[in-house]
Amino acid sequence: MKLRKDKIVSMLESLVSPVAILLTVWYVTSRILRYTLLMQEQKGIFLWTPDYLRQTFSDPWPLTTFISDFLVQFYQNASDGALVTAIIVTSIYFCVSQVLRFFKFRNLAGLLASCATWYVIAHSNTPHTGVVILVFSLAACLISTFLPYMRSEKGGAKAWILQVVATAGLLFGTTFLLAKDKELKDNEKWYAVEYASRSHDWNLVLRIATIGACRSDVSYVPYALLALNATGQLGEKMMDYPVSGPESLGEDGAESWSNYSLNSLIYEVTGCPNEAIHMTYQYGAAMPHATSFGALRQMIRLQTENEDFTLARKYAEILMRSPRNRQIAVNAMKTIARMEAESAGEPMSNVSRVEDSMISNNPVYNMSSIISNCRNSTAAAGDRLL
């Protein structure tokens, strides 16, 4: 009976560190890296298609790339993405502890390895780095099972207390480093603005891209102007922001996924659906697999709103090959079928829309078009723009 009780106590003691790691990494990551995870999913892609598999397995790291691309699907929900990170970090602890299972310091080594992995993953743009570390750790763990058996050194109650203290200290220290890391904070702030703009959460954009923030970093200005327009404040508050020229409206000439995404938003708001679709396509083409989850979902939405149901259905069928996004694609197909049926019963109209007159490559003209269609637009607002 005593022997059984000792085994239970020993098992519970051995679970203290991994459970603490799992819960801490999950909670902290979901709090301080929420939008970083969400934007990683926006830029990621995983499809059960021959083209995707062929391209993935032609890369230098095919297995780890395949696994990380599969995992990035779950970043669609920040809590799920944080849980994936927590599982990877906790698995590192088990692997290192298993490799060094014959030594007293095995748990401390596992803690150090897991905290270091957590720090590295937090600074990576994809889960690929964490997956690479995990694969090598699993390989080392497998090899260690063939080592000659040695009697494990037991530390007793004092060693267990030290393990608890070390667990708390290392997890707190890593949390503090991540929370105070300026690079992570700046990236999280930027990703929050990007994601909020894509989700049309304009109030969140304005809370982050304040006048002070825009003066410190002018790259926030276009997003702030879009949010002001959407909330009906552009005509009165535009000149409170540091608007200095076309570059303040996203026209800096750089070719990157971020600029393509921003231009897509600008064209969508100014009523240029074809240009918005073109820029979204360019945004997807800038990704490693020439598309992404974010680009596919946006193309489905824009093509549906533009009543190009054939292309909308095509993109929905592609997205359906992603296990995590399958239900989104199914719902999109239902919406497409419903709108297609509704439009089939409506008479064709040759009357052009007001938005058709807004198509221009001139950012100042586009912004003046926004003001002219703003709910609170005034003559004074137009004069201030000129």
Side-chain angles (χ1 to χ4, degrees), residues 161-232:
I161 294 174
L162 291 175
Q163 178 186 339
V164 172
V165 173
T167 300
L170 286 171
L171 289 176
F172 178 81
T174 308
T175 300
F176 181 81
L177 288 175
L178 293 177
K180 295 298 182 181
D181 192 300
K182 186 178 185 302
E183 180 184 353
L184 289 182
K185 290 170 71 175
D186 290 344
N187 287 341
E188 176 69 6
K189 185 177 177 181
W190 174 254
Y191 284 138
V193 170
E194 282 264 359
Y195 187 82
S197 298
R198 287 168 168 272
S199 306
H200 293 181
D201 188 353
W202 303 116
N203 290 325
L204 176 59
V205 173
L206 290 176
R207 286 200 300 271
I208 299 173
T210 60
I211 296 174
C214 290
R215 287 173 179 167
S216 300
D217 187 352
V218 294
S219 59
Y220 288 120
V221 174
Y223 297 95
L225 296 180
L226 288 172
L228 288 173
N229 167 70
T231 56

Side-chain angles (χ1 to χ4, degrees), residues 129-348:
T129 304
V131 171
V132 170
I133 296 173
L134 178 59
V135 167
F136 278 103
S137 299
L138 287 171
C141 185
L142 180 63
I143 294 172
S144 71
T145 59
F146 297 99
L147 293 176
Y149 175 77
M150 297 170 53
R151 185 178 294 276
S152 301
E153 297 185 29
K154 297 182 179 180
K158 184 177 179 180
W160 183 78
I161 294 174
L162 291 175
Q163 178 186 339
V164 172
V165 173
T167 300
L170 286 171
L171 289 176
F172 178 81
T174 308
T175 300
F176 181 81
L177 288 175
L178 293 177
K180 295 298 182 181
D181 192 300
K182 186 178 185 302
E183 180 184 353
L184 289 182
K185 290 170 71 175
D186 290 344
N187 287 341
E188 176 69 6
K189 185 177 177 181
W190 174 254
Y191 284 138
V193 170
E194 282 264 359
Y195 187 82
S197 298
R198 287 168 168 272
S199 306
H200 293 181
D201 188 353
W202 303 116
N203 290 325
L204 176 59
V205 173
L206 290 176
R207 286 200 300 271
I208 299 173
T210 60
I211 296 174
C214 290
R215 287 173 179 167
S216 300
D217 187 352
V218 294
S219 59
Y220 288 120
V221 174
Y223 297 95
L225 296 180
L226 288 172
L228 288 173
N229 167 70
T231 56
Q233 306 175 64
L234 183 65
E236 298 300 328
K237 295 187 177 181
M238 177 179 176
M239 289 307 170
D240 294 337
Y241 288 77
V243 179
S244 57
E247 65 276 5
S248 299
L249 306 174
E251 296 292 330
D252 60 1
E255 296 183 0
S256 65
W257 68 267
S258 182
N259 273 355
Y260 289 137
S261 175
L262 172 59
N263 287 331
S264 174
L265 285 169
I266 291 175
Y267 282 121
E268 181 184 352
V269 169
T270 54
C272 308
N274 291 330
E275 285 299 316
I277 290 169
H278 173 67
M279 285 296 150
T280 302
Y281 174 82
Q282 293 284 71
Y283 156 69
M287 296 295 140
H289 290 278
T291 191
S292 68
F293 290 130
L296 285 173
R297 289 193 293 263
Q298 190 159 328
M299 288 294 277
I300 294 170
R301 180 177 61 80
L302 290 174
Q303 296 286 11
T304 303
E305 293 174 356
N306 202 37
E307 297 187 357
D308 192 337
F309 302 119
T310 301
L311 283 176
R313 187 177 289 106
K314 170 190 170 184
Y315 288 114
E317 289 173 352
I318 296 173
L319 188 63
M320 199 174 293
R321 305 303 294 270
S322 165
R324 179 70 185 225
N325 286 269
R326 180 176 176 81
Q327 189 57 48
I328 294 176
V330 169
N331 292 337
M333 293 287 272
K334 292 178 180 178
T335 301
I336 293 168
R338 175 177 55 79
M339 292 185 64
E340 200 170 24
E342 291 174 355
S343 63
E346 295 178 359
M348 296 295 293

